[in-house]
Amino acid sequence: MQRTLIAEALAADNPCGDITLCGWVRTRRDLAECSFIELNDGSSLSGMQCVVEHGSAAYAALGAANTGAALQVRGALVPSPGKGQRWEVQAGAITIFGLADPQIYPLQKKRHSDEFLRTIAHLRVRTNKYGAAFRLRSQAARAVHDFFHERRFVLVHTPVLTGADCEGGGEMFSVTGPAGNEDGRRGEFFHRPCHLTVSGQLEAEALAMGLGRVYTFGPAFRAENSNTARHAAEFWMIEPEMAFADLRDIMELGEGLICHVIDHVLACCRDDLRLFDAFVDKGLVERLAGMAAKPFARASYAEAVRILEDCGKNFVYPVVFGMDLQTEHERYLAEEHFHRPVIVYDYPRETKAFYMRANDDNETVAAMDILVPRVGELVGGSQREERLERLTARIAELGRNPDDYWWYLDLRRFGSAPHAGFGLGFERLLMLLTGIGNIRDVLPFPRTPGSLEF
Ligand code: 4AD
Ligand code: MG
């Protein structure tokens, strides 16, 4: 079907005698001599105003079409005498594809709550806010790929079905094979237990130990029963892994990635960001520009704990050295103490996963988290333990069987080398970029405990 995208028509340099647009009616206003249709096709925040003269063939075709109806409008692109838009379309012919009964169409002209819109996730993308959120999501993903390709990282696709537990949190979904198989023999399909991956890291490490620099960008699954605004059961993670690299290298890489994506959306999503700035999070654009312009702060875990102990704030979870930092602590550090993102490094080994490289003090590991305002932890990464004996001992110490990790340990047997990587939660990055406060609202079809409707 030949048509011009509304985004392209709005950006036209000259009037144009004949143009075909398709889209959904956002609003219809009927005046004495004509009707105004605001048509939106998802290509931009702004729609195109279409003017339909009463008595014309187009008007007859328009009939009772109202908000939500899908139409094709053919006509002339002309300068608009009205305020707020440069062009409008004088409708010459209209074709209706599908009507939407105004009595039952769930999207009314008023503002709906995010909670209500989650119950109609199949339709909410037709609102300004969610259209903007998913366009921005697309641009952010593109910026991620550009960033890595410019640095010669190889995109790798790690498996979704896995037998390995990467993080060791016991938060994995198990996969039981053919539906309807109720004989209780779980894992039979693969002759061993199978899970949805929590992270592609272990496989990415193997690929990095041959390709040098790799990254994955795919879904990860966590059965954490935590109903928070920043946890989803299915989310997308970006995981770079670099051979011949240490903790400092991935701190720089993580900071560079975040700033690159911010710069890209500031340049390419101006209209959509203006909407978030006006209706979701005042001052967002200025804050993002400031964030990308200034180096992130850095603090060791020990320094971070000292700051938290001395700050005089009453936290729900009191801070003691050795604990895992909670969101309230992470947010305090980024929002109230450093007033910008902060990279916290050298965490106590007991709070972190088995694969992280032991520091010489034997108490901490070469881990780093990037904490950002409003979100808390955005990135978690580490230098990996490349010493075979240390890694084998750590796995055994945690009560696991090193034989289960035979191929992962092989990477340390054959040509082991220092290497490091991180995971960045893509939805948390989108929360930072849009100011949207709930992870459910940056995912098109969020999966959270008790919620699997769509
Ligand atoms: O800190 P995490 O658990 O690290 C890993 O999985 C490592 N294997 C990554 C690596 O080194 N390759 O998770 C990484 C990031 C977190 O910082 C957070 O942004 C995001 O993934 N994340 C979640 N996002 C949404 N919902 C959840 N349930 C998340 N769990 C983690
Ligand atoms: Mg983490």
Side-chain angles (χ1 to χ4, degrees):
M1 203 175 286
Q2 272 236 316
R3 66 171 175 126
T4 303
L5 291 179
I6 289 175
E8 290 165 358
L10 289 169
D13 290 327
N14 299 304
C16 158
D18 189 24
I19 190 171
T20 303
L21 304 177
C22 295
W24 294 268
V25 175
R26 278 292 172 82
T27 55
R28 171 177 180 161
R29 275 184 304 137
D30 295 297
L31 304 187
E33 279 140 31
C34 61
S35 297
F36 289 106
I37 298 289
E38 200 206 323
L39 202 66
N40 190 293
D41 65 1
S43 62
S44 62
L45 183 67
S46 312
M48 180 66 82
Q49 171 160 289
C50 302
V51 187
V52 190
E53 298 291 338
H54 291 179
S56 66
Y59 184 69
L62 181 64
N66 217 313
T67 304
L71 323 178
Q72 182 188 68
V73 177
R74 265 183 296 145
L77 186 74
V78 297
S80 175
K83 267 213 204 114
Q85 69 264 331
R86 188 163 160 230
W87 303 111
E88 63 185 25
V89 167
Q90 291 288 344
I94 287 182
T95 307
I96 310 272
F97 295 118
L99 295 170
D101 181 347
Q103 297 303 316
I104 52 174
Y105 186 54
L107 288 173
Q108 300 297 317
K109 229 175 130 180
K110 61 172 190 166
R111 230 166 126 183
H112 295 290
S113 71
D114 292 327
E115 290 75 13
F116 168 71
L117 290 170
R118 272 174 224 150
T119 68
I120 51 164
H122 58 307
L123 295 172
R124 67 178 176 168
V125 68
R126 296 190 201 175
T127 65
N128 282 341
K129 178 172 163 184
Y130 289 87
F134 301 132
R135 273 188 302 274
L136 190 136
R137 187 179 169 114
S138 165
Q139 285 294 341
R142 174 180 158 197
V144 167
H145 288 296
D146 287 347
F147 176 85
F148 286 116
H149 282 271
E150 280 161 17
R151 286 159 184 77
R152 293 182 177 262
F153 278 71
V154 178
L155 171 63
V156 294
H157 299 123
T158 50
V160 167
L161 296 178
T162 177
D165 175 1
C166 177
E167 292 305 296
E171 293 158 346
M172 295 185 295
F173 287 101
S174 46
V175 179
T176 55
N181 177 356
E182 284 168 12
D183 60 4
R185 284 180 290 160
R186 281 169 35 148
E188 192 191 39
F189 189 91
F190 294 108
H191 304 277
R192 55 177 297 170
C194 173
H195 313 286
L196 296 181
T197 188
V198 298
S199 158
Q201 178 195 321
L202 303 190
E203 292 90 350
E205 278 187 56
L207 296 166
M209 295 308 276
L211 290 167
R213 291 177 173 189
V214 301
Y215 76 103
T216 69
F217 189 164
F221 305 86
R222 302 224 175 153
E224 299 164 287
N225 204 5
S226 44
N227 245 316
T228 80
R230 30 169 251 155
H231 288 91
E234 177 174 344
F235 62 100
W236 283 63
M237 205 179 356
I238 297 143
E239 295 185 274
E241 192 69 38
M242 286 201 284
F244 313 112
D246 62 17
L247 191 66
R248 307 282 141 186
D249 295 319
I250 55 154
M251 287 186 193
E252 241 165 71
L253 187 75
E255 179 172 344
L257 172 62
I258 294 165
C259 293
H260 175 84
V261 179
I262 291 176
D263 285 340
H264 177 80
V265 299
L266 284 173
C268 296
C269 305
R270 279 199 215 132
D271 290 347
D272 291 330
L273 278 174
R274 259 202 295 272
L275 172 131
F276 296 121
D277 199 313
F279 298 111
V280 177
D281 183 4
K282 295 246 177 312
L284 173 74
V285 168
E286 203 185 311
R287 234 177 307 115
L288 287 175
M291 210 178 280
K294 212 164 140 193
F296 292 2
R298 293 190 186 190
S300 69
Y301 170 88
E303 285 164 339
V305 165
R306 227 172 297 128
I307 291 167
L308 293 164
E309 280 171 341
D310 293 347
C311 75
K313 212 173 159 110
N314 265 331
F315 293 113
V316 178
Y317 294 90
V319 180
V320 279
F321 189 95
M323 77 186 294
D324 206 2
L325 297 183
Q326 303 293 317
T327 304
E328 55 175 346
H329 309 132
E330 296 170 343
R331 289 188 56 175
Y332 176 83
L333 289 168
E335 281 163 37
E336 295 181 52
H337 186 82
F338 290 105
H339 305 287
R340 62 194 149 122
V342 51
I343 309 181
V344 177
Y345 57 91
D346 289 348
Y347 280 80
R349 136 184 141 130
E350 300 312 323
T351 63
K352 292 291 182 185
F354 74 95
Y355 51 71
M356 297 193 180
R357 190 178 197 277
N359 286 328
D360 291 341
D361 62 12
N362 257 327
E363 277 185 5
T364 60
V365 286
M368 67 99 188
D369 280 3
I370 303 183
L371 317 178
V372 299
R374 307 210 166 201
V375 175
E377 180 191 336
L378 171 61
V379 168
S382 68
Q383 188 169 335
R384 319 307 189 188
E385 184 55 83
E386 85 282 13
R387 297 162 295 189
L388 179 64
E389 298 73 31
R390 300 288 287 256
L391 184 57
T392 312
R394 185 66 183 145
I395 290 172
E397 197 180 357
L398 290 169
R400 303 197 218 168
N401 183 356
D403 292 346
D404 292 344
Y405 294 86
W406 69 271
W407 63 266
Y408 189 67
L409 291 169
D410 262 5
L411 302 173
R412 279 75 182 164
R413 268 184 204 109
F414 308 122
S416 189
H419 62 291
F422 64 75
L424 180 150
F426 188 50
E427 285 74 21
R428 293 196 185 169
L429 177 61
L430 296 172
M431 291 169 72
L432 180 77
L433 295 171
T434 58
I436 288 175
N438 196 310
I439 198 164
R440 291 164 179 79
D441 301 329
V442 293
L443 278 155
F445 298 101
R447 272 81 176 93
T448 51
S451 164
L452 189 69
E453 182 65 26
F454 299 95

